[in-house]
Amino acid sequence: MTFIFITAPLFFLFLWIISLCKVLILPRIPFAKHFTQIGRSFRKRNVLLVTAHPDDESIQLGGGSESLPGVLYGEAVLHFYYFSVGGAEGKGNIRKRELFQACVALKVPMQQVKIVNHPDVQDGFDKVWNHSLLAKIIEEEITSCSIDMIITFDCYGVSGHCNHRDVHYGVCKLLHDTLQRDIEVWELVSTNILRKYSGPVDIWLSIFLAMLHSNGTMHCIVNENSRRSFKAMAQHSSQWVWFRKLFVALSSYTYMNTLRKVR
């Protein structure tokens, strides 16, 4: 029994290091496309990253927001779109400034960052966002920026936050109401708590699950520069408290994102 208690942490540490090396090396090797299933679906596009609050691009979509430009070989125009300034604690203006600093760290131009902050779409666990209103607002942005791909949360929203889930349903409402449009919608797959806090170790299962979807409806996108994701999240200083630092370090979302096509 003592042997197990001693060797188990050492084995997990070894697996963590090997997995981190895999995350760092995978995007640079020729056969990476085969595993991540990127080459066929992602091409030059105007991509709209639809989220709820400032810091979502770093803490939940840390892998996707950082890796997408690289995955798309620099041929994507990536737009960040936020429905709220995150003012539930009265820090809306502070969080807005922090967001712009984070986007500088992620090398996303300010003209490609937009915060809606509609009076009926405000931050809070007790706030219910109207899905039809969200769909209408997103549709206006699609028309304005010639968007042809959307990336957003799935129905659980990674953390289970009600605002994240409403964003998902708002996008689905849009997709349902505009079937004639050639718009691809991809959702960030939420994982169970063990996978969520396994850090880079989750890469093995994420790649395997993506490979099972040979029809191209699921992609594992590896964050080849997780350090920059840390730097971006650190710009959100009002939110950069100890438990979020721990979350970013341990979260698998910092190292990779799994995207699933919404039908």
Side-chain angles (χ1 to χ4, degrees), residues 12-25 200-201 203-204:
F12 186 77
L13 178 61
F14 175 75
L15 184 59
W16 182 287
I17 294 172
I18 293 297
S19 301
L20 184 59
C21 291
K22 182 78 169 176
V23 168
L24 296 175
I25 295 173
V201 175
I203 189 173
W204 309 101

Side-chain angles (χ1 to χ4, degrees), residues 129-136 165-167 169-171 173:
W129 293 358
N130 184 283
H131 302 158
S132 295
L133 175 61
L134 299 184
K136 180 181 178 182
R165 301 173 74 171
D166 282 336
V167 168
Y169 289 116
V171 172
K173 174 71 173 171

Side-chain angles (χ1 to χ4, degrees), residues 30-55:
F31 54 84
K33 285 186 188 179
H34 173 72
F35 289 105
T36 52
Q37 298 286 310
I38 291 168
R40 291 175 298 179
S41 292
F42 291 143
R43 57 185 184 272
K44 185 174 182 178
R45 297 191 166 184
N46 289 314
V47 181
L48 187 66
L49 194 69
V50 183
T51 62
H53 320 105
D55 80 13

